[in-house]
Amino acid sequence: MKILFFDIETIPTDQSLQHSGLLEAQMQLDEGEIIKRLSLSAATARILCLAYALEPPADSSVTVLDGDEREIIQNFWKLATETNLFVGHNVLDFDLRFIYQRSVIHQIKPSREIPFARFRNSPIFDTMHEWSKWGREHISLDLLSKALGIPSPKECLDGSKVYPYYRAGKLSEICEYCKCDVDTVRQVYRRLTFAPAPAE
């Protein structure tokens, strides 16, 4: 079985940023809150990078796709053709949905149908929902990894800092953070499924 562990980082589009002044005036929000809101919608944000690991082998390295968003999306759908299980944290409600919506915007037809059905763990295994067993607890990856004794990827960077880092030209740091998220998700998945860690 091919398992794809993945995570995306998103930033506001230039067009949405041009209109953010109006939003700030209407809602009396600070810049950080506006950036956060814009970054979470596929209508106002784009994919900056996508990190993934495809298993087997169990010790496969994490790769990062960055640069042109169209190419990132096209490469994701190429990976999807050979994937049996998509694994990530909050990927059902955010990452996969965002990729699909940006595919529509770019008119990139998905290479396969991925059902967004809830209350199941295949072909999407969402570690956030699997931890709560579809309860109301929307636990963060940071808190879940700490509870499981797994190093948190959020210690040096978190989602709120992605756009400031991007603006400062720190793309390599963002990509490294995205890779750390994938490594953490992989460890969380193994704990939630009681799978043995790969041999050193």
Side-chain angles (χ1 to χ4, degrees), residues 103-129:
S103 299
V104 171
I105 287 170
H106 287 292
Q107 287 296 280
I108 298 170
K109 186 177 180 181
S111 59
R112 58 172 290 182
E113 180 69 29
I114 301 175
F116 283 80
R118 306 182 81 73
F119 306 106
R120 53 192 287 185
N121 59 18
S122 180
I124 301 169
F125 188 104
D126 191 315
T127 54
M128 184 181 78
H129 290 301

PDB file of all heavy atoms in Angstrom, residues 103-129:
ATOM      1  N   SER A 103      -6.977  23.709  -7.621  1.00  0.00           N
ATOM      2  CA  SER A 103      -6.988  22.987  -8.898  1.00  0.00           C
ATOM      3  C   SER A 103      -8.110  23.510  -9.787  1.00  0.00           C
ATOM      4  O   SER A 103      -7.925  23.703 -10.991  1.00  0.00           O
ATOM      5  CB  SER A 103      -7.169  21.478  -8.664  1.00  0.00           C
ATOM      6  OG  SER A 103      -6.115  20.949  -7.898  1.00  0.00           O
ATOM      7  N   VAL A 104      -9.262  23.744  -9.183  1.00  0.00           N
ATOM      8  CA  VAL A 104     -10.401  24.298  -9.930  1.00  0.00           C
ATOM      9  C   VAL A 104     -10.050  25.679 -10.471  1.00  0.00           C
ATOM     10  O   VAL A 104     -10.299  25.993 -11.645  1.00  0.00           O
ATOM     11  CB  VAL A 104     -11.665  24.360  -9.035  1.00  0.00           C
ATOM     12  CG1 VAL A 104     -12.777  25.125  -9.728  1.00  0.00           C
ATOM     13  CG2 VAL A 104     -12.121  22.952  -8.663  1.00  0.00           C
ATOM     14  N   ILE A 105      -9.457  26.509  -9.623  1.00  0.00           N
ATOM     15  CA  ILE A 105      -9.086  27.863 -10.042  1.00  0.00           C
ATOM     16  C   ILE A 105      -8.124  27.836 -11.225  1.00  0.00           C
ATOM     17  O   ILE A 105      -8.258  28.599 -12.178  1.00  0.00           O
ATOM     18  CB  ILE A 105      -8.499  28.647  -8.848  1.00  0.00           C
ATOM     19  CG1 ILE A 105      -9.632  29.017  -7.879  1.00  0.00           C
ATOM     20  CG2 ILE A 105      -7.747  29.900  -9.312  1.00  0.00           C
ATOM     21  CD1 ILE A 105      -9.183  29.589  -6.557  1.00  0.00           C
ATOM     22  N   HIS A 106      -7.152  26.914 -11.168  1.00  0.00           N
ATOM     23  CA  HIS A 106      -6.164  26.808 -12.256  1.00  0.00           C
ATOM     24  C   HIS A 106      -6.627  25.914 -13.414  1.00  0.00           C
ATOM     25  O   HIS A 106      -5.887  25.743 -14.381  1.00  0.00           O
ATOM     26  CB  HIS A 106      -4.840  26.260 -11.711  1.00  0.00           C
ATOM     27  CG  HIS A 106      -4.072  27.245 -10.892  1.00  0.00           C
ATOM     28  ND1 HIS A 106      -3.495  28.374 -11.429  1.00  0.00           N
ATOM     29  CD2 HIS A 106      -3.781  27.270  -9.561  1.00  0.00           C
ATOM     30  CE1 HIS A 106      -2.866  29.043 -10.469  1.00  0.00           C
ATOM     31  NE2 HIS A 106      -3.040  28.402  -9.325  1.00  0.00           N
ATOM     32  N   GLN A 107      -7.828  25.350 -13.282  1.00  0.00           N
ATOM     33  CA  GLN A 107      -8.358  24.440 -14.297  1.00  0.00           C
ATOM     34  C   GLN A 107      -7.424  23.255 -14.531  1.00  0.00           C
ATOM     35  O   GLN A 107      -7.127  22.865 -15.664  1.00  0.00           O
ATOM     36  CB  GLN A 107      -8.632  25.187 -15.609  1.00  0.00           C
ATOM     37  CG  GLN A 107      -9.861  26.101 -15.537  1.00  0.00           C
ATOM     38  CD  GLN A 107     -11.149  25.292 -15.318  1.00  0.00           C
ATOM     39  OE1 GLN A 107     -11.697  24.716 -16.259  1.00  0.00           O
ATOM     40  NE2 GLN A 107     -11.621  25.229 -14.086  1.00  0.00           N
ATOM     41  N   ILE A 108      -6.949  22.675 -13.426  1.00  0.00           N
ATOM     42  CA  ILE A 108      -6.138  21.463 -13.457  1.00  0.00           C
ATOM     43  C   ILE A 108      -7.032  20.324 -12.987  1.00  0.00           C
ATOM     44  O   ILE A 108      -7.428  20.269 -11.812  1.00  0.00           O
ATOM     45  CB  ILE A 108      -4.906  21.584 -12.527  1.00  0.00           C
ATOM     46  CG1 ILE A 108      -4.000  22.732 -12.989  1.00  0.00           C
ATOM     47  CG2 ILE A 108      -4.136  20.271 -12.483  1.00  0.00           C
ATOM     48  CD1 ILE A 108      -2.903  23.086 -12.002  1.00  0.00           C
ATOM     49  N   LYS A 109      -7.367  19.430 -13.904  1.00  0.00           N
ATOM     50  CA  LYS A 109      -8.274  18.340 -13.548  1.00  0.00           C
ATOM     51  C   LYS A 109      -7.558  17.326 -12.659  1.00  0.00           C
ATOM     52  O   LYS A 109      -6.480  16.831 -13.011  1.00  0.00           O
ATOM     53  CB  LYS A 109      -8.784  17.644 -14.810  1.00  0.00           C
ATOM     54  CG  LYS A 109      -9.834  16.590 -14.514  1.00  0.00           C
ATOM     55  CD  LYS A 109     -10.376  15.975 -15.786  1.00  0.00           C
ATOM     56  CE  LYS A 109     -11.427  14.927 -15.464  1.00  0.00           C
ATOM     57  NZ  LYS A 109     -11.980  14.283 -16.663  1.00  0.00           N
ATOM     58  N   PRO A 110      -8.124  17.017 -11.487  1.00  0.00           N
ATOM     59  CA  PRO A 110      -7.506  16.016 -10.615  1.00  0.00           C
ATOM     60  C   PRO A 110      -7.330  14.682 -11.342  1.00  0.00           C
ATOM     61  O   PRO A 110      -8.166  14.294 -12.163  1.00  0.00           O
ATOM     62  CB  PRO A 110      -8.500  15.892  -9.455  1.00  0.00           C
ATOM     63  CG  PRO A 110      -9.178  17.229  -9.416  1.00  0.00           C
ATOM     64  CD  PRO A 110      -9.302  17.642 -10.858  1.00  0.00           C
ATOM     65  N   SER A 111      -6.252  13.999 -11.011  1.00  0.00           N
ATOM     66  CA  SER A 111      -5.944  12.726 -11.672  1.00  0.00           C
ATOM     67  C   SER A 111      -6.822  11.594 -11.167  1.00  0.00           C
ATOM     68  O   SER A 111      -6.868  10.525 -11.766  1.00  0.00           O
ATOM     69  CB  SER A 111      -4.475  12.364 -11.431  1.00  0.00           C
ATOM     70  OG  SER A 111      -4.222  12.252 -10.031  1.00  0.00           O
ATOM     71  N   ARG A 112      -7.519  11.829 -10.071  1.00  0.00           N
ATOM     72  CA  ARG A 112      -8.387  10.802  -9.488  1.00  0.00           C
ATOM     73  C   ARG A 112      -9.427  11.461  -8.603  1.00  0.00           C
ATOM     74  O   ARG A 112      -9.288  12.612  -8.194  1.00  0.00           O
ATOM     75  CB  ARG A 112      -7.563   9.811  -8.674  1.00  0.00           C
ATOM     76  CG  ARG A 112      -6.776  10.483  -7.567  1.00  0.00           C
ATOM     77  CD  ARG A 112      -6.117   9.509  -6.647  1.00  0.00           C
ATOM     78  NE  ARG A 112      -7.110   8.811  -5.843  1.00  0.00           N
ATOM     79  CZ  ARG A 112      -6.787   7.911  -4.918  1.00  0.00           C
ATOM     80  NH1 ARG A 112      -5.536   7.588  -4.721  1.00  0.00           N
ATOM     81  NH2 ARG A 112      -7.726   7.322  -4.212  1.00  0.00           N
ATOM     82  N   GLU A 113     -10.438  10.716  -8.293  1.00  0.00           N
ATOM     83  CA  GLU A 113     -11.482  11.173  -7.374  1.00  0.00           C
ATOM     84  C   GLU A 113     -11.054  10.834  -5.949  1.00  0.00           C
ATOM     85  O   GLU A 113     -10.653   9.705  -5.664  1.00  0.00           O
ATOM     86  CB  GLU A 113     -12.804  10.471  -7.702  1.00  0.00           C
ATOM     87  CG  GLU A 113     -13.961  10.860  -6.814  1.00  0.00           C
ATOM     88  CD  GLU A 113     -14.422  12.298  -7.026  1.00  0.00           C
ATOM     89  OE1 GLU A 113     -14.266  12.824  -8.147  1.00  0.00           O
ATOM     90  OE2 GLU A 113     -14.934  12.888  -6.060  1.00  0.00           O
ATOM     91  N   ILE A 114     -11.092  11.814  -5.073  1.00  0.00           N
ATOM     92  CA  ILE A 114     -10.811  11.575  -3.657  1.00  0.00           C
ATOM     93  C   ILE A 114     -12.080  11.915  -2.885  1.00  0.00           C
ATOM     94  O   ILE A 114     -12.464  13.087  -2.819  1.00  0.00           O
ATOM     95  CB  ILE A 114      -9.630  12.430  -3.153  1.00  0.00           C
ATOM     96  CG1 ILE A 114      -8.357  12.127  -3.949  1.00  0.00           C
ATOM     97  CG2 ILE A 114      -9.391  12.160  -1.665  1.00  0.00           C
ATOM     98  CD1 ILE A 114      -7.183  13.018  -3.593  1.00  0.00           C
ATOM     99  N   PRO A 115     -12.754  10.926  -2.321  1.00  0.00           N
ATOM    100  CA  PRO A 115     -13.990  11.210  -1.600  1.00  0.00           C
ATOM    101  C   PRO A 115     -13.710  11.945  -0.289  1.00  0.00           C
ATOM    102  O   PRO A 115     -12.840  11.550   0.477  1.00  0.00           O
ATOM    103  CB  PRO A 115     -14.578   9.816  -1.338  1.00  0.00           C
ATOM    104  CG  PRO A 115     -13.418   8.886  -1.391  1.00  0.00           C
ATOM    105  CD  PRO A 115     -12.429   9.488  -2.337  1.00  0.00           C
ATOM    106  N   PHE A 116     -14.442  13.027  -0.068  1.00  0.00           N
ATOM    107  CA  PHE A 116     -14.281  13.800   1.156  1.00  0.00           C
ATOM    108  C   PHE A 116     -15.292  13.345   2.213  1.00  0.00           C
ATOM    109  O   PHE A 116     -15.781  14.143   3.005  1.00  0.00           O
ATOM    110  CB  PHE A 116     -14.446  15.292   0.862  1.00  0.00           C
ATOM    111  CG  PHE A 116     -13.231  15.913   0.219  1.00  0.00           C
ATOM    112  CD1 PHE A 116     -13.004  15.767  -1.145  1.00  0.00           C
ATOM    113  CD2 PHE A 116     -12.315  16.616   0.969  1.00  0.00           C
ATOM    114  CE1 PHE A 116     -11.888  16.325  -1.739  1.00  0.00           C
ATOM    115  CE2 PHE A 116     -11.185  17.180   0.387  1.00  0.00           C
ATOM    116  CZ  PHE A 116     -10.976  17.039  -0.974  1.00  0.00           C
ATOM    117  N   ALA A 117     -15.566  12.055   2.228  1.00  0.00           N
ATOM    118  CA  ALA A 117     -16.521  11.502   3.184  1.00  0.00           C
ATOM    119  C   ALA A 117     -15.953  11.551   4.595  1.00  0.00           C
ATOM    120  O   ALA A 117     -14.753  11.370   4.800  1.00  0.00           O
ATOM    121  CB  ALA A 117     -16.849  10.058   2.805  1.00  0.00           C
ATOM    122  N   ARG A 118     -16.822  11.811   5.538  1.00  0.00           N
ATOM    123  CA  ARG A 118     -16.402  11.887   6.938  1.00  0.00           C
ATOM    124  C   ARG A 118     -16.630  10.544   7.628  1.00  0.00           C
ATOM    125  O   ARG A 118     -17.187   9.628   7.051  1.00  0.00           O
ATOM    126  CB  ARG A 118     -17.175  13.009   7.639  1.00  0.00           C
ATOM    127  CG  ARG A 118     -17.050  14.356   6.905  1.00  0.00           C
ATOM    128  CD  ARG A 118     -17.756  15.476   7.612  1.00  0.00           C
ATOM    129  NE  ARG A 118     -16.976  16.026   8.708  1.00  0.00           N
ATOM    130  CZ  ARG A 118     -15.895  16.796   8.540  1.00  0.00           C
ATOM    131  NH1 ARG A 118     -15.458  17.087   7.334  1.00  0.00           N
ATOM    132  NH2 ARG A 118     -15.248  17.263   9.584  1.00  0.00           N
ATOM    133  N   PHE A 119     -16.149  10.437   8.848  1.00  0.00           N
ATOM    134  CA  PHE A 119     -16.328   9.254   9.690  1.00  0.00           C
ATOM    135  C   PHE A 119     -15.724   7.990   9.069  1.00  0.00           C
ATOM    136  O   PHE A 119     -16.279   6.910   9.187  1.00  0.00           O
ATOM    137  CB  PHE A 119     -17.816   9.034  10.025  1.00  0.00           C
ATOM    138  CG  PHE A 119     -18.457  10.243  10.624  1.00  0.00           C
ATOM    139  CD1 PHE A 119     -19.340  11.016   9.879  1.00  0.00           C
ATOM    140  CD2 PHE A 119     -18.159  10.642  11.918  1.00  0.00           C
ATOM    141  CE1 PHE A 119     -19.918  12.158  10.424  1.00  0.00           C
ATOM    142  CE2 PHE A 119     -18.735  11.781  12.465  1.00  0.00           C
ATOM    143  CZ  PHE A 119     -19.616  12.534  11.731  1.00  0.00           C
ATOM    144  N   ARG A 120     -14.575   8.160   8.418  1.00  0.00           N
ATOM    145  CA  ARG A 120     -13.846   7.005   7.873  1.00  0.00           C
ATOM    146  C   ARG A 120     -12.366   7.369   7.848  1.00  0.00           C
ATOM    147  O   ARG A 120     -12.014   8.552   7.923  1.00  0.00           O
ATOM    148  CB  ARG A 120     -14.352   6.642   6.483  1.00  0.00           C
ATOM    149  CG  ARG A 120     -14.352   7.805   5.511  1.00  0.00           C
ATOM    150  CD  ARG A 120     -15.110   7.529   4.235  1.00  0.00           C
ATOM    151  NE  ARG A 120     -14.396   6.613   3.369  1.00  0.00           N
ATOM    152  CZ  ARG A 120     -14.796   6.288   2.146  1.00  0.00           C
ATOM    153  NH1 ARG A 120     -15.908   6.789   1.656  1.00  0.00           N
ATOM    154  NH2 ARG A 120     -14.116   5.464   1.405  1.00  0.00           N
ATOM    155  N   ASN A 121     -11.493   6.378   7.739  1.00  0.00           N
ATOM    156  CA  ASN A 121     -10.058   6.667   7.744  1.00  0.00           C
ATOM    157  C   ASN A 121      -9.342   6.179   6.483  1.00  0.00           C
ATOM    158  O   ASN A 121      -8.137   5.996   6.474  1.00  0.00           O
ATOM    159  CB  ASN A 121      -9.383   6.104   9.003  1.00  0.00           C
ATOM    160  CG  ASN A 121      -9.547   4.604   9.127  1.00  0.00           C
ATOM    161  OD1 ASN A 121      -9.860   3.921   8.170  1.00  0.00           O
ATOM    162  ND2 ASN A 121      -9.329   4.096  10.327  1.00  0.00           N
ATOM    163  N   SER A 122     -10.092   5.998   5.423  1.00  0.00           N
ATOM    164  CA  SER A 122      -9.507   5.622   4.136  1.00  0.00           C
ATOM    165  C   SER A 122     -10.433   6.117   3.020  1.00  0.00           C
ATOM    166  O   SER A 122     -11.651   6.017   3.152  1.00  0.00           O
ATOM    167  CB  SER A 122      -9.367   4.095   4.056  1.00  0.00           C
ATOM    168  OG  SER A 122      -8.817   3.712   2.828  1.00  0.00           O
ATOM    169  N   PRO A 123      -9.888   6.712   1.959  1.00  0.00           N
ATOM    170  CA  PRO A 123      -8.478   6.873   1.616  1.00  0.00           C
ATOM    171  C   PRO A 123      -7.812   8.084   2.264  1.00  0.00           C
ATOM    172  O   PRO A 123      -6.657   8.376   1.978  1.00  0.00           O
ATOM    173  CB  PRO A 123      -8.518   7.045   0.101  1.00  0.00           C
ATOM    174  CG  PRO A 123      -9.799   7.762  -0.151  1.00  0.00           C
ATOM    175  CD  PRO A 123     -10.765   7.214   0.863  1.00  0.00           C
ATOM    176  N   ILE A 124      -8.533   8.794   3.160  1.00  0.00           N
ATOM    177  CA  ILE A 124      -7.933   9.913   3.875  1.00  0.00           C
ATOM    178  C   ILE A 124      -7.864   9.554   5.358  1.00  0.00           C
ATOM    179  O   ILE A 124      -8.878   9.256   5.980  1.00  0.00           O
ATOM    180  CB  ILE A 124      -8.764  11.209   3.705  1.00  0.00           C
ATOM    181  CG1 ILE A 124      -8.899  11.586   2.231  1.00  0.00           C
ATOM    182  CG2 ILE A 124      -8.123  12.355   4.487  1.00  0.00           C
ATOM    183  CD1 ILE A 124      -9.913  12.700   1.970  1.00  0.00           C
ATOM    184  N   PHE A 125      -6.640   9.583   5.889  1.00  0.00           N
ATOM    185  CA  PHE A 125      -6.445   9.358   7.318  1.00  0.00           C
ATOM    186  C   PHE A 125      -6.028  10.692   7.909  1.00  0.00           C
ATOM    187  O   PHE A 125      -4.895  11.140   7.734  1.00  0.00           O
ATOM    188  CB  PHE A 125      -5.357   8.295   7.557  1.00  0.00           C
ATOM    189  CG  PHE A 125      -5.225   7.866   8.993  1.00  0.00           C
ATOM    190  CD1 PHE A 125      -5.731   6.644   9.404  1.00  0.00           C
ATOM    191  CD2 PHE A 125      -4.586   8.673   9.929  1.00  0.00           C
ATOM    192  CE1 PHE A 125      -5.608   6.234  10.737  1.00  0.00           C
ATOM    193  CE2 PHE A 125      -4.462   8.281  11.253  1.00  0.00           C
ATOM    194  CZ  PHE A 125      -4.968   7.060  11.661  1.00  0.00           C
ATOM    195  N   ASP A 126      -6.967  11.349   8.570  1.00  0.00           N
ATOM    196  CA  ASP A 126      -6.726  12.664   9.146  1.00  0.00           C
ATOM    197  C   ASP A 126      -6.400  12.487  10.625  1.00  0.00           C
ATOM    198  O   ASP A 126      -7.259  12.092  11.409  1.00  0.00           O
ATOM    199  CB  ASP A 126      -7.966  13.547   8.961  1.00  0.00           C
ATOM    200  CG  ASP A 126      -7.709  15.007   9.285  1.00  0.00           C
ATOM    201  OD1 ASP A 126      -7.072  15.277  10.321  1.00  0.00           O
ATOM    202  OD2 ASP A 126      -8.136  15.865   8.491  1.00  0.00           O
ATOM    203  N   THR A 127      -5.151  12.775  11.002  1.00  0.00           N
ATOM    204  CA  THR A 127      -4.722  12.517  12.375  1.00  0.00           C
ATOM    205  C   THR A 127      -5.503  13.344  13.402  1.00  0.00           C
ATOM    206  O   THR A 127      -5.692  12.896  14.528  1.00  0.00           O
ATOM    207  CB  THR A 127      -3.206  12.768  12.539  1.00  0.00           C
ATOM    208  OG1 THR A 127      -2.883  14.090  12.089  1.00  0.00           O
ATOM    209  CG2 THR A 127      -2.406  11.755  11.732  1.00  0.00           C
ATOM    210  N   MET A 128      -5.969  14.517  13.006  1.00  0.00           N
ATOM    211  CA  MET A 128      -6.760  15.327  13.928  1.00  0.00           C
ATOM    212  C   MET A 128      -8.079  14.628  14.259  1.00  0.00           C
ATOM    213  O   MET A 128      -8.475  14.512  15.418  1.00  0.00           O
ATOM    214  CB  MET A 128      -7.049  16.714  13.341  1.00  0.00           C
ATOM    215  CG  MET A 128      -7.784  17.638  14.290  1.00  0.00           C
ATOM    216  SD  MET A 128      -8.140  19.262  13.573  1.00  0.00           S
ATOM    217  CE  MET A 128      -9.553  18.864  12.522  1.00  0.00           C
ATOM    218  N   HIS A 129      -8.763  14.135  13.236  1.00  0.00           N
ATOM    219  CA  HIS A 129     -10.048  13.467  13.449  1.00  0.00           C
ATOM    220  C   HIS A 129      -9.877  12.074  14.061  1.00  0.00           C
ATOM    221  O   HIS A 129     -10.716  11.625  14.839  1.00  0.00           O
ATOM    222  CB  HIS A 129     -10.825  13.373  12.138  1.00  0.00           C
ATOM    223  CG  HIS A 129     -11.324  14.698  11.654  1.00  0.00           C
ATOM    224  ND1 HIS A 129     -12.170  15.497  12.391  1.00  0.00           N
ATOM    225  CD2 HIS A 129     -11.087  15.375  10.502  1.00  0.00           C
ATOM    226  CE1 HIS A 129     -12.445  16.605  11.723  1.00  0.00           C
ATOM    227  NE2 HIS A 129     -11.792  16.560  10.571  1.00  0.00           N
TER     228      HIS A 129
END
